[in-house]
Amino acid sequence: MELHQNGAASAAAGPSGRVVAGAAQAGASPFAEVAPVPRSIEQTGLPAQLLRELLLKHMLEATNATVRELGSRMALSGAVVGELVQLLRNEALLEVSTARIADNELAFRLSDRGRLEARDAQMKSGYVGPAPVPLDDFVRVGARYSLLNHKITKQRVDALFADMVLDASLKDILGVALNTHRAMFVYGPAGTGKTYTISKLVELYGDACLVPHAIAVDTTVIRLFDPHLHRPLPESGSELTIPRYSEGHDRRYVACRRPVVLVGGEMTLDQLEVSFEPETRIYQAPLQLKATNGLFIIDDMGRQQVAPDAIFNRWIVPMETRKDFLVLNNGQHFEVPFEVQLIFSSNINPLDLADEAFLRRIGFKVRFDYVDGAAYDAIWRQELQKAGVEYRPEAIKYLIDKLHRKRDVPMAPCHPRDLLNAVLSRINYLDGEAELSESALNWAWDSYFVRLDQ
């Protein structure tokens, strides 16, 4: 089913004049219901001064622009931008541009005084982009898409991993762990599929969420939407399990798939706090805030430059209260919801990284391990099918018995894929036919595993 909407959704205002959820036009998409389009400065929930300075900065970049163009830049309705333009014209900061007329619309430019004020605004904050949403709106919208609202069932977990060779008990503990909404510690040898498997867990929720371009803490703007981490819904929703929604919601939010923020050994504690870039004068949201309503995976625990206990201690309060406390460059503290599924992952023994007292705070410890011969054979078959190579029983028997077992190398789920890729790469290099001979498997083995022969 697809939902279509012609024009923007109407929105009613509460006693304070703010847009209220559920006030969207009947038949509008759920996104429009959660975040209706504001029709006035008051309904944006933002200080007029913040919007006024943001528009001046946009005008400084654009030289001249129409109300429609400013609305596109600021992700605001024409009604809100028109109100702002009128305010600035009354203050003699904007004037009609005689240089251009676009589609019978008036274009505006900064006056000399407006240009000075725009530069002053730019010095206060370098942020120039879509208008932010107020912090309390971000909290409200985030609660609507909270992971706490979802129940994960065995049927959904089995369906998600139907094309993977994964032990049934492992699937069950992952599903149960998600239902507790507590942090998880995933551990086990390298190559056992930890990162790939847990990254897929976000698909169990089967829906999307709204991510703001930026949030405003009073008059401070913090950029949140990250094109490297957030995936906007495509124009065609055929690949999604949800209908394609119209764009009738507040455009300060981007309709996205639930985020998966994965960081590894490169992570530092600074990335977990609001950052301020002096050169650009722009605030950036921390990683866990960008992961709101999704997964936050700290991979390769123990490989970071910072001590593991410092990383773990950072999460004691958020894990127990589901609230996080952040601070701006000016010393102002503020509270945000901790609406994420936190997952630690490591191939180091958890007891070597944290004490038992901390590990008790983590709901589930999930061990990934090596596989047996039957599972290894099943993974090998899958990889052969993907590559379009015929299955030969003698090849897998040689690989398991003569290479893995004889050389006492445990079988990891990644080995079939990696060894087969090595064989096929060599065949391609030699311009030959795909043949899984013993010599080809030996060559792949020797090029893949480290040899410490004396």
Side-chain angles (χ1 to χ4, degrees):
M1 180 182 70
E2 290 187 350
L3 302 180
H4 298 278
Q5 176 182 335
N6 296 320
S10 62
S16 64
R18 294 282 303 281
V19 173
V20 294
Q25 186 178 18
S29 79
F31 288 144
E33 179 184 355
V34 175
V37 178
R39 300 297 183 185
S40 67
I41 293 175
E42 186 178 13
Q43 288 181 0
T44 66
L46 296 169
Q49 181 65 13
L50 189 157
L51 290 172
R52 175 181 173 277
E53 292 180 351
L54 182 60
L55 189 146
L56 287 172
K57 288 184 286 185
H58 275 290
M59 287 301 305
L60 195 61
E61 281 194 351
T63 306
N64 54 60
T66 65
V67 167
R68 184 191 302 270
E69 290 165 346
L70 287 169
S72 178
R73 280 172 164 265
M74 299 178 68
L76 293 173
S77 67
V80 176
V81 175
E83 190 178 348
L84 285 169
V85 166
Q86 190 57 50
L87 284 175
L88 294 175
R89 290 186 71 187
N90 291 344
E91 297 177 43
L93 302 178
L94 280 185
E95 58 190 23
V96 175
S97 173
T98 57
R100 64 180 281 243
I101 297 179
D103 298 327
N104 296 319
E105 289 186 78
L106 288 176
F108 299 92
R109 66 184 181 191
L110 292 170
S111 64
D112 291 340
R113 181 183 162 199
R115 196 169 292 106
L116 290 174
E117 291 221 16
R119 290 197 179 105
D120 287 342
Q122 201 172 48
M123 291 304 296
K124 289 170 60 178
S125 168
Y127 179 82
V128 184
V133 300
L135 179 59
D136 59 349
D137 273 16
F138 169 70
V139 173
R140 175 186 60 80
V141 171
R144 290 292 296 268
Y145 296 104
S146 172
L147 301 180
L148 298 175
N149 301 332
H150 288 262
K151 177 184 176 182
I152 306 301
T153 64
K154 177 176 173 57
Q155 291 73 21
R156 291 170 69 179
V157 174
D158 288 342
L160 175 64
F161 296 116
D163 61 346
M164 285 182 61
V165 180
L166 202 61
D167 187 82
S169 62
L170 185 56
K171 290 187 286 187
D172 288 342
I173 192 171
L174 287 171
V176 173
L178 288 181
N179 270 338
T180 68
H181 308 294
R182 296 179 66 190
M184 272 190 277
F185 199 122
V186 174
Y187 66 102
T192 50
K194 298 184 295 296
T195 302
Y196 178 76
T197 303
I198 59 180
S199 296
K200 285 179 65 69
L201 293 175
V202 74
E203 299 175 32
L204 290 170
Y205 300 101
D207 61 358
C209 61
L210 291 176
V211 178
H213 285 282
I215 60 174
V217 179
D218 295 333
T219 58
T220 300
V221 179
I222 303 171
R223 180 177 287 161
L224 194 145
F225 178 82
D226 189 331
H228 300 294
L229 300 176
H230 297 113
R231 299 175 296 163
L233 297 187
E235 289 298 322
S236 172
S238 59
E239 64 192 78
L240 300 174
T241 57
I242 59 174
R244 185 184 69 168
Y245 297 114
S246 69
E247 295 182 351
H249 63 276
D250 186 343
R251 289 182 295 133
R252 293 179 294 172
Y253 290 94
V254 183
C256 296
R257 294 182 176 93
R258 290 184 179 269
V260 177
V261 177
L262 188 150
V263 291
E266 78 286 354
M267 193 199 76
T268 63
L269 288 179
D270 289 344
Q271 294 175 298
L272 308 179
E273 308 299 336
V274 177
S275 65
F276 179 72
E277 302 168 355
E279 298 82 9
T280 61
R281 299 177 302 284
I282 295 176
Y283 282 97
Q284 290 279 357
L287 292 173
Q288 69 273 20
L289 203 59
K290 294 181 179 182
T292 296
N293 297 138
L295 306 185
F296 183 37
I297 302 171
I298 302 180
D299 204 9
D300 292 329
M301 270 300 303
R303 310 293 184 190
Q304 291 79 14
Q305 294 182 5
V306 61
D309 58 348
I311 297 175
F312 287 131
N313 289 337
R314 174 62 180 82
W315 303 115
I316 289 178
V317 173
M319 284 194 307
E320 295 196 352
T321 65
R322 300 194 68 82
K323 295 177 182 177
D324 199 8
F325 297 90
L326 303 172
V327 61
L328 299 177
N329 192 50
N330 60 11
Q332 180 182 357
H333 290 74
F334 63 101
E335 177 186 309
V336 293
F338 189 65
E339 289 285 355
V340 302
Q341 176 63 56
L342 178 61
I343 304 176
F344 302 102
S345 177
S346 180
N347 55 20
I348 301 175
N349 187 333
L351 291 174
D352 293 335
L353 297 174
D355 57 32
E356 292 187 17
F358 180 85
L359 291 176
R360 282 198 300 270
R361 300 172 185 266
I362 298 178
F364 285 82
K365 275 66 74 176
V366 184
R367 178 174 173 82
F368 280 64
D369 215 333
Y370 296 116
V371 296
D372 59 18
Y376 194 95
D377 179 83
I379 298 171
W380 180 258
R381 288 174 184 265
Q382 284 186 343
E383 296 302 325
L384 288 176
Q385 186 176 11
K386 293 177 187 177
V389 178
E390 182 182 357
Y391 175 80
R392 293 177 55 210
E394 61 272 20
I396 187 63
K397 180 175 176 58
Y398 179 82
L399 184 56
I400 292 176
D401 293 341
K402 301 299 183 180
L403 294 177
H404 276 286
R405 288 175 177 163
K406 187 174 181 180
R407 303 189 185 192
D408 197 26
V409 175
M411 291 177 282
C414 68
H415 289 159
R417 177 201 62 203
D418 294 345
L419 291 172
L420 180 60
N421 285 343
V423 170
L424 297 180
S425 296
R426 180 172 181 265
I427 290 171
N428 184 57
Y429 171 74
L430 297 175
D431 200 21
E433 295 184 4
E435 182 181 356
L436 297 176
S437 63
E438 292 182 5
S439 63
L441 291 173
N442 284 331
W443 183 92
W445 183 277
D446 291 339
S447 67
Y448 182 75
F449 290 99
V450 175
R451 297 180 60 181
L452 298 176
D453 299 338
Q454 296 297 321

